[in-house]
Amino acid sequence: MAQQLTRKQFDILEALTTAKTALTQHDLERSTRHSPDTFNETMRELTDFGYVKDGAVTNAGINALEPYRVKRAVFIAAGFGSRLVPITFNTPKPLVRVHGVRIIDHLIDACLATGIDEIYIVRGYLAEQFDQLLYKYPMVKFLENPVYNEANNISSSLVACHMLSNAYVFEADLLISNPKIIRKYHYMSDFLAIKKERSDDWCFTVKDGIIVEQKLGGTDCWQMVGISYWNGADGQRLSRDIADVYASPGGRERYWEQVPLVYCKEHYAVEVRECFDEDIVEIDTFRELKSIDKTYDI
């Protein structure tokens, strides 16, 4: 059995494994943000372990990364999408087309491109319309949320709570333009976020790379993006904590991410993972949809 990797070992091994083309030492130093001395020392360690040979990852190196591999993706897609009316009167928000392509397709394609093909979609509003995805994505499995209109999205996470280990959790209405933000391996549980001088949206306070507070609005903060990854241990813990919070007074009104970030945050150390405005956008209103796709501006 491969031993647990240090963070530095993971960073370099992951970069070598997922690169589409051969990387120079300078490329690796820049992408992993490790100094030349740290890089050289870590490469020697990886070579001694048999994980790297002649600058390439060995089968033993791939096995060493296996505990950090994303095994599945869960899409939270049960809601009504009230802020996108009138288009959502007849179409669930994740199935709305932007420039001819359904919003959710970009996310699913990004998962498949990185080898994540165990995909679950929690559906509720106009649930039968999601069946159309099966023509293009026959591997998709659906989970039904019968109380989507009676409870907040914690009810969707409860339906999927036993699927959250080594898993991505997606808000299914995010328009992704950079599929590379979906990665095959993760060292720790993390949340994607965008560094902001000021935000009126949900955001994080971060200390030493770990999320220490979730709040609505702030300055010098990290604006939350609805994409997170949960490792094996945290996913198992989430299955219990989600059920406990849901059953607590007022629990049905919670957002699912408040479980690990607010109500049970002492159980988790969740990293922030940086992305940028140009990588992804949440289309919050019909006006924003019209500004992105002029075919709706009629």
Side-chain angles (χ1 to χ4, degrees):
M1 179 180 292
Q3 67 184 58
Q4 183 174 348
L5 299 172
T6 68
R7 185 55 181 266
K8 296 169 186 175
Q9 292 166 355
F10 169 85
D11 288 344
I12 293 173
L13 202 58
E14 188 266 346
L16 284 169
T17 302
T18 58
K20 301 299 183 184
T21 58
L23 297 178
T24 66
Q25 178 172 332
H26 179 69
D27 291 333
L28 287 164
E29 291 168 1
R30 184 176 56 188
S31 66
T32 61
R33 300 181 181 179
H34 293 311
S35 69
D37 287 345
T38 297
F39 174 83
N40 289 328
E41 179 184 354
T42 306
M43 280 294 287
R44 284 194 293 270
E45 293 171 354
L46 293 171
T47 301
D48 289 344
F49 290 145
Y51 297 161
V52 173
K53 183 178 181 180
D54 298 326
V57 179
T58 64
N59 288 335
I62 296 296
N63 290 336
L65 281 170
E66 180 62 19
Y68 308 94
R69 181 174 62 85
V70 182
K71 295 181 180 178
R72 60 189 61 86
V74 175
F75 289 83
I76 305 297
F80 171 58
S82 58
R83 290 184 292 179
L84 211 61
V85 294
I87 196 70
T88 49
F89 283 147
N90 299 306
T91 305
K93 188 177 177 183
L95 301 182
V96 170
R97 293 181 181 269
V98 179
H99 302 301
V101 181
R102 293 170 300 218
I103 291 173
I104 198 173
D105 283 30
H106 296 284
L107 292 168
I108 296 176
D109 288 342
C111 288
L112 295 176
T114 198
I116 306 166
D117 58 6
E118 184 181 339
I119 296 172
Y120 300 90
I121 297 177
V122 184
R123 60 183 181 175
Y125 174 66
L126 298 177
E128 69 284 351
Q129 290 200 20
F130 285 91
D131 288 345
Q132 65 185 268
L133 292 172
L134 295 174
Y135 293 101
K136 184 178 180 183
Y137 305 111
M139 77 293 297
V140 165
K141 297 179 177 63
F142 298 116
L143 303 172
E144 313 297 336
N145 180 357
V147 297
Y148 72 90
N149 60 344
E150 302 170 15
N152 219 321
N153 70 6
I154 190 174
S155 62
S156 289
S157 69
L158 184 65
V159 169
C161 68
H162 297 295
M163 310 292 182
L164 302 183
S165 291
N166 302 101
Y168 268 115
V169 179
F170 292 93
E171 292 180 11
D173 57 0
L174 297 169
L175 185 62
I176 186 174
S177 53
N178 178 14
K180 291 182 180 179
I181 63 175
I182 307 306
R183 294 164 58 176
K184 186 172 185 175
Y185 301 103
H186 289 254
Y187 193 71
M188 291 176 61
S189 300
D190 57 49
F191 241 105
L192 274 173
I194 302 169
K195 191 75 172 68
K196 295 284 187 178
E197 292 183 3
R198 177 181 296 273
S199 175
D200 296 324
D201 208 333
W202 287 102
C203 57
F204 304 134
T205 302
V206 174
K207 183 177 181 180
D208 298 328
I210 301 296
I211 298 169
V212 295
E213 180 187 21
Q214 183 195 34
K215 57 188 178 179
L216 186 58
T219 57
D220 189 24
C221 59
W222 292 81
Q223 184 172 299
M224 185 177 82
V225 174
I227 298 177
S228 58
Y229 170 77
W230 304 93
N231 66 25
D234 286 346
Q236 291 180 15
R237 195 174 293 113
L238 269 173
S239 68
R240 300 188 295 270
D241 287 343
I242 287 170
D244 289 344
V245 172
Y246 186 82
S248 69
R252 291 161 62 95
E253 304 307 314
R254 310 302 184 198
Y255 295 105
W256 84 265
E257 63 271 9
Q258 291 177 311
V259 175
L261 299 179
V262 179
Y263 297 106
C264 302
K265 67 179 182 179
E266 69 276 7
H267 296 168
Y268 305 88
V270 183
E271 287 190 337
V272 69
R273 186 161 67 89
E274 186 173 17
C275 66
F276 302 92
D277 285 315
E278 58 266 29
D279 293 331
I280 194 164
V281 63
E282 181 177 5
I283 303 174
D284 284 327
T285 67
F286 188 56
R287 177 179 295 180
E288 290 176 1
L289 176 62
K290 291 192 293 183
S291 70
I292 293 172
D293 187 340
K294 300 300 182 183
T295 61
Y296 291 100
D297 192 11
I298 56 176

